[in-house]
Amino acid sequence: MLRKMGEAVARVARKVNETVESGSDTLDLAECKLVSFPIGIYKVLRNVTDQIHLITLANNELKSLTSKFMTTFCQLRDVPVEKLAAMPALRRINLRFNPLNAEVRVIAPPLIKFDMLMSPEGARAPPP
């Protein structure tokens, strides 16, 4: 069991390092067996969070994402609405102050059965 956990941690570290080194706008943490978003990732990504526009967390065991996740990655643009709509336990997602594309703003409301908090189009987050 410890070996599998170690492999999962190494997989996450490898994927995060690839994102930082390549300057990619995508962080792919799919199939990493995450039960929460690792706090250490915020430190490793602190210099590149503004350029990350897509985060893939598919096929993990996440129960929630903290407000720190949403405030750290405030440049997300694409939201997989159809995947969110298929999550029966999801009650609320806060995507305020993200530059969401127009498609998400139009398609999401009729498809989802939970609260999706969004800022008005073009709104900017208050300075820290």
Side-chain angles (χ1 to χ4, degrees):
M1 172 136 165
L2 288 176
R3 181 179 175 160
K4 286 188 178 194
M5 288 173 53
E7 290 171 359
V9 169
R11 181 179 176 87
V12 169
R14 199 169 37 254
K15 288 183 166 205
V16 169
N17 286 335
E18 287 171 6
T19 298
V20 171
E21 290 172 4
S22 70
S24 175
D25 68 345
T26 301
L27 175 60
D28 181 1
L29 295 177
E31 300 180 26
C32 287
K33 300 179 181 154
L34 295 174
V35 293
S36 65
F37 197 80
I39 197 82
I41 290 178
Y42 296 116
K43 291 179 182 176
V44 174
L45 293 173
R46 71 180 167 265
N47 294 324
V48 296
T49 55
D50 287 348
Q51 68 194 43
I52 294 177
H53 297 149
L54 175 65
I55 299 174
T56 303
L57 296 169
N59 300 319
N60 281 294
E61 299 171 30
L62 294 167
K63 301 272 189 260
S64 67
L65 290 172
T66 65
S67 59
K68 182 171 179 82
F69 178 89
M70 294 302 177
T71 57
T72 299
F73 299 105
C74 61
Q75 297 300 318
L76 297 179
R77 294 181 182 167
D78 296 314
V79 177
V81 175
E82 42 308 314
K83 299 224 189 253
L84 291 175
M87 300 172 82
L90 185 61
R91 298 288 174 249
R92 178 178 297 128
I93 187 165
N94 185 339
L95 297 170
R96 288 184 179 146
F97 301 114
N98 279 287
L100 301 175
N101 66 39
E103 182 179 315
V104 170
R105 293 177 175 282
V106 172
I107 292 175
L111 290 177
I112 58 175
K113 296 176 176 69
F114 54 84
D115 295 332
M116 186 162 156
L117 307 175
M118 296 183 285
S119 297
E121 193 167 354
R124 301 269 181 231

